[in-house]
Amino acid sequence: MNQEIFREYDIRGVVGKDFDALFARTLGKAFATYLIRRGSKTPLSVSVGYDARLSSPELATSMVLGLGESGVNVTTLGLITTPISYFSTFALPLSGAVMITGSHNPPEYNGFKISFGQSTIFGEEIQKLKKIILDEDFVKGASLAKETALNIFDKYLERFGGDIKMKNPVKVVVDCGNGAAGVIVRRLYEKLKGLDFEILFEDPDGRFPNHHPDPTVEHNLKALKAAVLKNKAVVGIGFDGDADRIGVLDHTGRCLYGDELMVLFARAVLKDHPGTPIIGDVKCSDRLYKDIEAHGGVAVMYKTGHSLIKNKMKEMNSKFSGEMSGHVFFADRAYGYDDAIYAGARIIEILSQTGKTIPELLEG
C-alpha cells in the first residue's frame, strides 16, 4: 500500500501499483471500525457501488467482504454513478456508502469515495482510516453480516424523473464517454417531454476507447462538438467517468468555463431563492461573484474540493454552489451533492423554459 493514496477528498491510486484487492478488503474493515467508533446506529449498514473501470468489480467484492466480516450489513448497488451512491444515503436507511471509482482519471486508476451518513468524508477523517489500517486497529469479534443486492435506479428515477419541467422542445447531444453515466442517463432523459436527444459512447467501457473521461478538457469533446453542429443541437453535455463532473458546449460548439456554467445556473436559482448564498471555489473568476451579487445573491469564495463545498453549503444553507472543475451542487429541489446528469437536466430545463440559447442566457 502506497500511503500517498490517502488524499484530501478520496482514496485513489494506480491499481496493482499503489493498492490491490486485498487493500479494498482491509479498507472495508477500517471503515467498519470507523463507523462503530463514530457511534453510528446499529445495525450498521453501508451501500457499495462501482464505476465502469475494469478493476472495479473485484475491488467491490473485496470491499463487501471486509465490511461483512466486520459486522456491517451491505447493500450492493452494482455499476452506478457516484451521485447515485450519494443518493442511496438519502433514499435508504444507511450508516454510509462506498463508491469505487477512478473518476476522471486514466483507466489504470481507481479509488474510493466514502460517505459517513449523508456526507462525504475528507481531510482528517480520511487520515483516520489510514491510521486504523497502519495500526491494524480493527474491531474484533464481529459476526458475519447480511449482504443484499438492490436495483436503486427505480428509486432514482422516481425521485428525479418528474422534477424537470419542460416547455419548448429542445435538441441535445450527450456524451457519456463510456463511463458510468450510460447506465441511467437515457432512462432519466426519456422522461423529459419534448426532449430530442442523441447519446454518444453510451456503453460503459473501462478502457475508455473513444476519449479520456474528463469533459472539462476541450480536446475530449471533439466528437460531441461535431455532433452538436451536425444535429443543430442547442447544447452538448459531457460527463466524466463517474458522472459527478459536467462539461457543456453551447450551440456553436464553444466549451463553457465552469464559472460561466455556474452563472447560467445561479441566475435561474436566484429567481426562486433571492438572497441565497452561492459558493464558488478560488479558481472561479471575479465575473462570477459580481454576477451573483448583481442578480440578488450572496457571493462566497471558498476552498476547492467537492467535500469542502458541500459542507459549506450546509453551513450557509446555500441552494446552489459549484467549482470551476465542473462539479455543481443543487440543494434547490435536490440534496446538495454533485450530480452531472441531474445538472444536465437542469440545463435542459432552463433552455426549454426560456427558448434562448446559452450565449443569450449569459448576456452581460
Side-chain angles (χ1 to χ4, degrees):
M1 178 191 78
N2 179 357
Q3 295 184 32
E4 297 301 316
I5 64 176
F6 292 87
R7 300 154 57 90
E8 180 68 15
Y9 319 116
D10 58 18
I11 299 165
R12 186 197 312 162
V14 176
V15 180
K17 177 185 174 184
D18 296 322
F19 68 92
D20 57 14
L22 179 59
F23 168 79
R25 181 175 177 178
T26 304
L27 180 61
K29 292 165 62 178
F31 185 39
T33 301
Y34 175 91
L35 289 172
I36 291 167
R37 291 177 182 162
R38 284 288 302 263
S40 295
K41 294 180 181 177
T42 55
L44 296 173
S45 181
V46 169
S47 70
V48 175
Y50 57 86
D51 70 8
R53 290 164 191 269
L54 302 184
S55 59
S56 291
E58 182 184 16
L59 294 173
T61 298
S62 293
M63 170 61 68
V64 169
L65 187 60
L67 289 165
E69 65 189 1
S70 303
V72 176
N73 295 326
V74 179
T75 300
T76 56
L77 304 179
L79 175 54
I80 59 171
T81 67
T82 290
I84 288 180
S85 173
Y86 299 151
F87 170 72
S88 72
T89 66
F90 292 88
L92 303 171
L94 297 173
S95 312
V98 178
M99 178 65 187
I100 294 159
T101 176
S103 190
H104 59 283
N105 292 283
E108 64 271 21
Y109 281 80
N110 216 324
F112 308 85
K113 293 180 179 177
I114 298 176
S115 298
F116 170 65
Q118 296 174 341
S119 299
T120 316
I121 69 170
F122 62 93
E124 182 182 339
E125 300 308 304
I126 287 179
Q127 296 306 311
K128 288 180 181 178
L129 294 176
K130 174 182 171 182
K131 189 175 189 306
I132 291 169
I133 291 172
L134 292 177
D135 293 347
E136 298 185 5
D137 183 24
F138 307 107
V139 290
K140 301 291 195 302
S143 60
L144 290 175
K146 182 172 63 174
E147 179 183 340
T148 307
L150 175 70
N151 178 353
I152 199 170
F153 297 122
D154 290 342
K155 287 182 178 291
Y156 181 82
L157 292 169
E158 181 182 354
R159 172 61 181 82
F160 293 110
D163 182 76
I164 304 301
K165 308 303 179 188
M166 303 287 284
K167 182 178 180 181
N168 301 301
V170 292
K171 185 176 288 188
V172 174
V173 181
V174 175
D175 183 351
C176 292
N178 299 113
V183 299
I184 188 61
V185 66
R186 181 178 295 276
R187 293 178 65 187
L188 181 63
Y189 285 9
E190 280 177 345
K191 293 184 175 293
L192 309 187
K193 304 302 181 184
L195 177 61
D196 177 5
F197 66 97
E198 175 186 348
I199 301 180
L200 306 179
F201 316 133
E202 183 176 3
D203 294 335
D205 185 340
R207 297 166 297 179
F208 305 116
N210 291 289
H211 63 75
H212 184 72
D214 185 350
T216 63
V217 177
E218 194 165 359
H219 174 77
N220 300 328
L221 300 178
K222 289 181 178 179
L224 181 60
K225 179 178 179 178
V228 166
L229 297 176
K230 178 183 177 182
N231 291 282
K232 297 181 179 178
V234 70
V235 66
I237 301 171
F239 307 118
D240 73 338
D242 62 337
D244 62 0
R245 182 185 297 219
I246 189 171
V248 175
L249 304 178
D250 70 14
H251 71 292
T252 71
R254 187 181 78 85
C255 185
L256 271 66
Y257 290 110
D259 53 1
E260 292 177 317
L261 182 59
M262 283 188 65
V263 165
L264 190 73
F265 288 134
R267 289 180 177 181
V269 170
L270 285 167
K271 289 180 180 177
D272 294 327
H273 303 282
T276 189
I278 295 180
I279 304 159
D281 73 338
V282 294
K283 298 176 184 177
C284 295
S285 69
D286 63 345
R287 61 182 179 164
L288 165 68
Y289 301 105
K290 290 177 180 177
D291 199 82
I292 291 169
E293 298 284 355
H295 287 81
V298 177
V300 180
M301 182 186 290
Y302 197 58
K303 303 171 186 177
T304 296
H306 65 93
S307 301
L308 297 171
I309 289 187
K310 281 184 279 193
N311 274 14
K312 192 69 172 176
M313 283 182 72
K314 291 178 183 177
E315 177 187 319
M316 301 191 72
N317 194 27
S318 166
K319 296 299 182 183
F320 171 75
S321 295
E323 295 182 277
M324 195 70 173
S325 61
H327 289 274
V328 291
F329 315 88
F330 284 93
D332 169 47
R333 294 157 43 191
Y335 298 112
Y337 57 75
D338 36 342
D339 185 341
I341 294 174
Y342 178 72
R346 293 289 291 255
I347 294 171
I348 292 165
E349 180 183 61
I350 292 168
L351 294 168
S352 175
Q353 290 280 348
T354 63
K356 294 182 177 182
T357 65
I358 288 175
E360 289 171 337
L361 289 166
L362 289 177
E363 283 180 356

